[in-house]
């Protein structure tokens, strides 16, 4: 079988690196082109010695022409505001694209521009791009030319809420999401705040008002609930001293008329045929270690009748289902492959 | 000046150890008696080599008579259900007692018995015992014979909520507390779930429905708000891979009539004269590292007008203000000393 | 192609778990039987929730008959002293065996009995068993009925020293090995010393005189150097607060007549055709993160002419090349498969 | 009693911060002046929020005149090459100085210039400066105008070797020092290599040939042994994922004529009257957690008659006895105070 040729633009960030880690085990994709502006001419394994003997390809500078010649599909792991300029050129060159930035995740231009404080050079692509969450948009992704890989917090949150929202069981204006992320979410960079000595043995909130992912969560929550207007959701991110992993604890008021609903059935039905969403057995809780280095989302829920709240606990690897694992799941779909190709692995475990 | 003689029963648990760490720098207290049933006859520094040359006292078995002879005040760091039997004997022997268990924290017997699934051998002491949170009960503690050291989660949560509750600004039935604790909260014990390999690089929820501290938080929240009936509060504890530290992120609906209240003033007033509560400057967030190894609580808040929620972030050291630091603050008060004696230290920092 | 049927006895320890993690990606082996005395009747994924949906097989008790019926090869991850009793029965039942304990690693009975303070029930098997270090014993392993998987410290140390020893370049009585291991080396167990709170933020030596692995290192060093008598080697293990990973820093006196030898050539020649030994490029040092979750050994060396010492730095994953990765490499060989089958993966990286 | 007025130049690095943490508890010193070029005009507690309410002093720029007016003694925590220019001015202004850099640690100009690749603007001060290791130079420090705070690795190593060297028991050319440091040793800075994601779960060697501290160790070892020429010592530093702490494992050949010496007596005698060196009881090993946040050095040794080597294990906090604790011990001496003033505290423990 002819392999699909994959290029990665922004290969040396953590998202690119993790995608490459996964692709080593993928037999239907061929990595043809690795672009990294900062490290042109060096080998990928010079930057990440863990990959010596596995991915020793040389990093090249961004050339749309080269990518067009060498690839069938390109994954762009670029900063927002940069993706919106590069992706249209890749599409024009006939390539399929999965973009990891926030630049194509929004349906409404004004929400994007407000969240990212940027104007969008190609707003019509917001209409074309498909939000790359296969558990919702699998069918559209199969036909997509452009997929927008979701944010890590939105993936973690939306998967936790999906069965409740689709079945109209909760007050959408009561949703509170309290989430903790591993530090790799901040990307690969020298920054005192993320240095070992400053970040180890520490937990802390950040972005408590107005974090960008709020609007992304609200958009998808509103769509799932069939609302015209996105609900107002409270979202608070925190950092924990783990390299990878994300845990969202989500609170929502069960609607009075839904108080007797069998949530077990609701969750089971929603995810019965999903490979990468694992509902925890009774009495077990999601733990980030169980999903780290994987594409799984582990989810549990509990209804507290004293307060009328349902609590949902959702754990992913922020670089796995929250970034590169999900990207691979989506490009598998975009390329007509079984979506679990290369993804059925146990993670970091201990 | 004659020093007050202090005994510790349960000296070799983490709470006892941390109290001893603090007492080394305390010049008005003399540690006379260290009781540890498991290590009778060994020196404290045999169990904790960090204390060699500092606390080499021999551990003795529990003897009410010996404690009565050697001490003025005894701190009991015993399991619940054990404290309720030992403390009355200490009181009968004429000693002042600060108890760290849950056995004397409750005003209502039935709440205790339901939360701890135990009957109480001396329920009348529930009436006498003062809840050892100096920021609320300072005056009563000064005259108390028996103080009940609060739980770590209740301390962290109640300090965060206090200004809002006292000023009647929030819907008490809307309170949601999402909290993360360091692993020392589980105590000093061999347990696979808390082994390094299982707990490192991992975050996880536990006790999501019905954690004991819920009722303790509800009791104090109700009292602060002047309610006859304690409110129903949603509380979810989690574990983070830090030895010490606790962060509570608290959500509550601002009452419509309070929407214009100047929360800055409310918080400033509530804590203007408190040494151990530090309100963060604008734009800074509490971080557990800043309070670890100290008795400080660092608190910040934000009002999100989109959702009508106030978010409060409160950080303590679960062994500091959440246990032994607070114990020392309280026994300072019980013994007529300035309550910051021995407690004004910068913590673990980096 | 008919798959080789593999059984694992002691499947729920960390060595068994890691082997299962690797086998998920292995297409020529079929896991037929998982034995765990402690968890009979439970599913493997009940013990390790990270494996839900991947390995949900039920754990069974030890039955030689069942293993004989269901397997072609059995990996035993049992305590020393237990393996020596179980392995002979498996061999008698016609199975190939790779044993992970120390029971079959020694050529001389008296060295084993002294190191492990045990008598050996089947000493003649010491003659038959092949030491499972493919970089030395590849050919014998291909024909072996019984392989003895090496210890983690010996693997790390011997791979570092092999080129020097085989070429007779160092004074074998001058060898000093200073090694640090991740805490998973202590196994999966509840033990206060390995609890998160006691082990985090801490490094410490242990077993400074007479650690068992000393004699195993000495045996293989002596054989590589062609000595009749094993040399006396100084070996000091330490613990570092990492789950996985091992770094040995090795010191040896270069023989005067070898002072001019080109060590680069010596190392390059020794490992030119080895997939799993990676010599670091000039100026780079082995780091445990680069080999964690893999079967690689990363090795570097430096000659210090001031002291006449060569320093060798060797890094492996104690559960990878130090245990389960190496086990898989060896059973690949024992089963006639390419020895890298299922092992060419990038590791934990970040 | 009139307090001694202390200034710190370079107050916001980790060494300055740790010194301030210690000084909070010190009653005979008054912190008058904090200099930090990078943060002029900000409060110290803006940079380190852990110090809010404890040290809120404003940081000023470097002014010799101001320091001369406000201080009796100045601690300089500046980069090497900068100290050598600033310190002479402070001395000229009549101040006592403890300098933390490498600029005044060497007796021989050429050794300094070779190790630091710098020329020295005031080489005559090398003769005057006293090496600030109180266990050796206590008497000279009491009269010193300028003390050179030792490096962390030299402190850890020399304290471990001192009894052997002073008693002439080991072959000084056989010494091998294998040491691991916490990451704070690299200082407070944004650097990808020391970021959480790159440094966590990792151990690695660095500076394996020619680390600067080698020559400092050799100088003091030679002086202790009474040698004219410093011996050639093999020293290899490594990084471990701990914020603080340092463990040196030291190997040396016992001289044949010393094989029967009672090392217990040798060590006991050497350190009988030292407060900050703690010899471990039989069977216990130094662990970095036991000394972290303290000025203690915990030391153990073992003689291996098979190899003729003595192994010494020495643990300190690289910011404690390896930097700021030692600085405080020394300035106590320089100011005529008991040298343990402000230093008798138990450390981070758990």
């Amino acid at each position: 079988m002819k392999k699909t040729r994959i290029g990665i633009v922004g290969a040396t960030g953590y998202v690119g690196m993790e995608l490459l880690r996964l692709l080593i085990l993928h037999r239907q994709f061929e990595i043809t082109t690795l672009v990294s502006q900062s490290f042109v001419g060096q080998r990928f394994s010079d930057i990440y010695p863990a990959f010596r003997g596995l991915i020793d390809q040389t990093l090249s500078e961004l050339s749309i022409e080269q990518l067009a010649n060498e690839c069938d599909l390109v994954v762009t792991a670029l900063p927002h505001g940069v993706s919106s300029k590069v992706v249209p050129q890749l599409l024009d060159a006939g390539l399929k694209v999965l973009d990891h930035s926030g630049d194509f995740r929004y349906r409404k231009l004004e929400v994007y521009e407000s969240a990212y404080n940027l104007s969008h050079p190609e707003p019509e692509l917001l209409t074309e791009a498909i939000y790359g969450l296969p558990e919702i948009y699998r069918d559209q992704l199969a036909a997509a030319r452009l997929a927008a890989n979701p944010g890590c917090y939105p993936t973690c949150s939306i998967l936790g809420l999906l069965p409740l929202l689709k079945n109209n069981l909760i007050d959408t204006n009561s949703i509170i999401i309290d989430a903790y992320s591993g530090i790799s979410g901040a990307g690969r960079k020298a920054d005192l705040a993320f240095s070992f000595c400053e970040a180890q043995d520490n937990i802390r909130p950040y972005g408590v008002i107005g974090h960008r992912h709020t609007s992304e969560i609200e958009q998808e929550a509103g769509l799932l609930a069939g609302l015209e207007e996105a609900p107002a959701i409270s979202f608070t991110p925190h950092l924990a001293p783990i390299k990878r992993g994300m845990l969202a604890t989500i609170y929502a008021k069960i609607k009075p008329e839904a108080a007797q609903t069998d949530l077990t059935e609701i969750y089971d039905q929603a995810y019965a045929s999903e490979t990468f969403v694992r509902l925890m057995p009774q009495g077990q809780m999601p733990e980030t270690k169980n999903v780290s280095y994987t594409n799984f989302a582990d989810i549990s829920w509990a209804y507290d009748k004293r307060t009328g709240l349902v609590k949902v606990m959702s754990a992913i690897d922020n670089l796995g289902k929250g970034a590169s694992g999900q990207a691979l799941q989506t490009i598998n779909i975009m390329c007509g492959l079984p979506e679990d190709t290369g993804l059925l692995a146990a993670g970091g475990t201990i």
Side-chain angles (χ1 to χ4, degrees), chain A:
Chain A
M1 188 183 113
K2 192 156 164 301
K3 293 186 177 186
T4 302
R5 299 165 306 158
I6 304 289
I8 303 176
V9 179
T12 55
Y14 288 152
V15 172
M17 176 279 292
E18 178 65 3
L19 184 56
L20 284 166
R21 192 181 72 81
L22 295 170
L23 287 173
I24 290 170
L25 302 172
H26 196 290
R27 292 152 193 244
Q28 276 76 46
F29 286 151
E30 178 187 4
I31 309 158
T32 54
T33 319
L34 299 181
V35 174
S36 168
Q37 303 280 50
S38 318
F39 301 104
V40 173
Q42 295 190 56
R43 294 181 307 169
F44 183 77
S45 54
D46 292 337
I47 314 306
Y48 287 100
F51 287 76
R52 287 193 61 226
L54 299 167
I55 298 189
D56 295 314
Q57 275 175 259
T58 299
L59 299 158
S60 50
E61 59 188 336
L62 179 62
S63 156
I64 304 295
E65 195 183 343
Q66 182 189 359
L67 288 163
N69 287 337
E70 296 179 356
C71 308
D72 302 307
L73 183 149
V74 170
V75 175
T76 45
L78 293 167
H80 53 262
V82 178
S83 269
S84 62
K85 299 193 181 69
V86 171
V87 167
Q89 301 176 59
L90 295 168
L91 294 172
D92 288 348
L95 289 157
K96 290 188 178 181
V97 179
L98 179 138
D99 177 59
H100 184 66
S101 82
D103 286 352
F104 299 97
R105 293 178 189 158
Y106 288 87
R107 309 240 166 158
K108 297 190 178 165
L109 180 63
E110 64 273 21
V111 181
Y112 168 76
E113 295 189 341
S114 162
Y116 284 83
N117 201 23
L118 285 169
S119 65
H120 202 294
E122 304 256 1
E124 66 285 1
L125 284 175
L126 296 184
T127 312
E128 178 180 353
I130 305 297
Y131 192 72
L133 194 56
E135 287 75 11
I136 305 180
Y137 298 104
R138 181 171 286 123
D139 294 344
Q140 293 99 306
L141 289 168
R145 191 173 66 135
L146 171 59
N149 209 35
C152 47
Y153 287 118
T155 296
C156 192
S157 304
I158 290 297
L159 289 176
L161 286 165
L162 180 147
L164 302 173
L165 289 166
K166 277 179 80 167
N167 291 286
N168 201 22
L169 301 177
I170 54 173
D171 173 359
T172 50
N173 280 312
S174 74
I175 299 170
I176 291 174
I177 300 166
D178 192 284
Y180 280 67
S181 173
I183 292 170
S184 61
R188 185 173 190 266
K189 62 184 171 194
D191 184 325
L192 184 60
F194 304 121
S195 70
F196 182 86
C197 288
E198 301 289 332
Q200 171 75 327
D201 297 325
N202 192 34
I203 51 179
R204 65 175 172 99
Y206 70 101
V208 297
I209 301 290
H211 188 283
R212 272 171 191 142
H213 284 176
T214 312
S215 54
E216 190 181 331
I217 298 168
E218 289 172 345
Q219 166 182 285
E220 295 303 313
L223 291 168
L224 279 169
L227 303 175
E228 292 201 4
E229 201 68 28
I233 288 177
S234 177
F235 167 63
T236 313
H238 304 72
L239 282 180
I242 54 177
K243 290 189 294 188
R244 293 158 170 249
M246 171 168 287
L247 180 69
T249 304
I250 308 169
Y251 305 85
K253 282 271 175 201
I254 290 284
K255 289 185 179 174
E257 61 270 29
Q260 304 308 321
T261 309
D262 181 348
L263 294 182
T264 303
E265 200 180 305
I266 292 288
Y267 271 87
D268 283 354
Q269 276 182 354
Y271 289 129
S273 58
E274 292 296 341
T275 302
F276 293 113
V277 178
R278 299 189 297 196
L279 300 175
M280 305 303 293
Q282 190 64 24
Q284 281 185 33
M285 286 290 128
E287 310 193 24
T288 59
K289 69 177 175 184
N290 292 332
V291 295
S292 64
Y293 301 97
T294 81
N295 194 46
F296 290 108
D298 279 1
I299 293 175
S300 186
W301 57 268
Y303 175 58
D304 182 0
K305 62 172 185 284
R306 290 173 63 256
T307 58
L309 291 168
V310 60
K311 301 182 188 185
V312 185
M313 281 66 67
S314 174
I316 62 170
D317 180 342
N318 59 299
L319 289 182
K321 183 67 178 167
S324 309
Q326 181 140 278
L328 180 50
Q329 186 182 358
T330 290
I331 63 176
N332 279 335
I333 295 171
M334 292 170 78
C335 296
L337 296 170
E339 73 186 71
D340 62 7
T341 308
L343 286 168
L344 284 177
T349 65
I350 70 117

